[in-house]
Amino acid sequence: MRPTAKFSISFGLVTIPVAAYTATDSSASVSFVRIHTADGGRVRNQPVCSLEGAEVATDEIGRGYKAGGDTVVPLSDNDLDALPLPTAKTLTILAFVAGGDIDPLQLDKGYYLGIDGPAAAKPYALLRDAMERHQRVGLGKIALHGRETLAMLRPVGDTLVMQVLLWPHQIRPMDGVLPERETKVASNEVAAAEALMDSFGALSEDDVHDHYREALEEIVAAKLADREPEFEAGEERPAGEVMDLMAALQDSVRAAKRSRGESGEGGETEAKKTTGSTAKKTARTPKATGGKKSTSTAKKTAARAGEKSAAKTDEKTGTKTAAKSTAKKTAATKKTAGRARRAG
């Protein structure tokens, strides 16, 4: 690779000459050209002078600053080099902070930084290893391509990487983005969402593959060969409004497990366990506190009732038997007394 810029890193009194190499390749992404739909001709952006109406060659195009209205002030490379900025040729590190303190919205273009000369090797390695051990990234300023910008310096393996950052005023406020009404989420719904997050697992190589570009190239090849494009049948994702949030979360956990070859039906998912734990405890409580004890109490009550009933029955039977016996004895006494009077 050819370096896009050369400058020095200012680390206190230590100066490290480096060369910057563009870390990303925008040409590898999907891109289209504009065409005339009537005949397929290319529609190009041609640089045309607004005063002459003629096309301008690339080497005749310079920079200009719009000062207000229609006034444009020409600026040459010498004018920009004469700017009294210490960052014109130097990445001045201002502070070292934790990487998590950087708002990802500020991240812009990235550059690999290599040493520019043998003398830079040791201070380069020193700064890299110190940031690695201290778990910090460097924040500084650098003038690139005619403008000053914030920059973040961080170690990646054995290399230092510079990430251009947007200025804080370039991040738009979130006014009007959030819903006006506050939405409340239940704790069991959050737990179910966490269970779904855990079920995703790690990224695979296929996950970070550009399938869109591959499919687009197949369509182009099919058109050139005058045939129908051939695509592998993929799993169709359900569309539409989700009415039951908990059901959707639980189904998602099962689908994620099936995609990894795990059983989506066997056993309960973490989401189900979380949402069903309260119901299960409630269901078990009557059984544990009132089930066996109530049955035992009922049995004891029935036994006592049976004993009382038997006692009452025996008492009645005994009373009747005693009454009959007394009646018989009285009748026998009367008969004996009658016989004695007749005999006398």
Side-chain angles (χ1 to χ4, degrees):
M1 290 189 291
R2 294 182 59 184
T4 58
K6 290 187 178 183
F7 51 87
S8 296
I9 299 173
S10 176
F11 175 40
L13 297 178
V14 178
T15 301
I16 311 170
V18 295
Y21 303 83
T22 303
T24 56
D25 183 8
S26 58
S27 63
S29 61
V30 173
S31 61
F32 301 97
V33 296
R34 298 188 301 168
I35 63 170
H36 186 197
T37 55
D39 55 17
R42 288 280 301 274
V43 177
R44 301 179 183 275
N45 293 326
Q46 296 177 330
V48 177
C49 178
S50 61
L51 299 179
E52 298 178 353
E55 187 175 349
V56 181
T58 304
D59 57 356
E60 295 180 6
I61 298 176
R63 297 185 185 92
Y65 185 84
K66 195 172 182 179
D70 296 331
T71 304
V72 177
V73 179
L75 293 173
S76 65
D77 290 341
N78 293 332
D79 294 329
L80 298 177
D81 291 340
L83 290 173
L85 291 175
T87 58
K89 296 291 183 181
T90 304
L91 170 57
T92 305
I93 298 179
L94 305 174
F96 290 92
V97 300
D101 294 343
I102 307 298
D103 188 347
L105 287 174
Q106 290 186 255
L107 299 180
D108 203 358
K109 197 171 184 179
Y111 295 87
Y112 296 131
L113 300 183
I115 59 172
D116 187 21
K122 188 169 184 178
Y124 180 97
L126 173 65
L127 178 59
R128 178 199 64 205
D129 293 351
M131 284 196 294
E132 182 72 36
R133 288 182 55 182
H134 206 49
Q135 296 184 351
R136 291 289 187 270
V137 298
L139 282 182
K141 291 181 179 179
I142 182 69
L144 285 176
H145 312 303
R147 57 175 60 92
E148 188 179 56
T149 181
L150 285 173
M152 177 180 69
L153 196 64
R154 62 190 176 97
V156 179
D158 294 333
T159 309
L160 289 176
V161 172
M162 183 182 72
Q163 199 88 36
V164 173
L165 302 178
L166 299 176
W167 295 99
H169 71 268
Q170 291 179 287
I171 306 299
R172 292 179 175 178
M174 293 184 286
D175 299 341
V177 177
L178 296 175
E180 296 180 1
R181 180 183 296 180
E182 184 180 358
T183 304
K184 293 184 178 180
V185 182
S187 59
N188 62 335
E189 292 174 331
V190 176
E194 290 174 345
L196 176 57
M197 292 167 63
D198 293 337
S199 70
F200 272 62
L203 278 174
S204 66
E205 191 173 329
D206 187 64
D207 291 331
V208 293
H209 183 74
D210 191 354
H211 294 284
Y212 179 81
R213 177 186 178 91
E214 197 173 72
L216 183 64
E217 290 175 347
E218 169 58 21
I219 291 178
V220 172
K223 284 183 174 291
L224 291 174
D226 194 21
R227 61 174 176 82
E228 290 294 324
E230 299 176 359
F231 299 116
E232 294 183 4
E235 184 178 351
E236 190 172 341
R237 295 184 178 270
E241 186 178 358
V242 177
M243 301 302 294
D244 189 339
L245 183 58
M246 286 302 303
L249 289 170
Q250 293 166 1
D251 291 343
S252 299
V253 173
R254 287 192 290 269
K257 287 189 174 184
R258 285 197 300 269
S259 67
R260 298 199 308 270
E262 299 178 13
S263 175
E265 303 297 333
E268 290 180 314
T269 61
E270 291 299 322
K272 278 190 173 182
K273 289 179 180 178
T274 304
T275 56
S277 60
T278 305
K280 285 184 178 178
K281 287 178 182 177
T282 306
R284 285 196 298 267
T285 301
K287 186 176 179 180
T289 59
K292 292 182 178 179
K293 289 185 178 179
S294 298
T295 305
S296 176
T297 305
K299 286 182 178 180
K300 291 179 180 179
T301 304
R304 288 172 184 170
E307 289 174 1
K308 288 181 180 181
S309 177
K312 287 182 180 180
T313 303
D314 292 342
E315 184 179 352
K316 289 180 180 179
T317 304
T319 304
K320 289 179 181 179
T321 305
K324 287 181 181 180
S325 177
T326 304
K328 286 181 180 180
K329 288 180 179 178
T330 303
T333 303
K334 287 180 179 180
K335 286 181 181 180
T336 305
R339 286 174 186 172
R341 285 195 297 268
R342 285 197 295 268

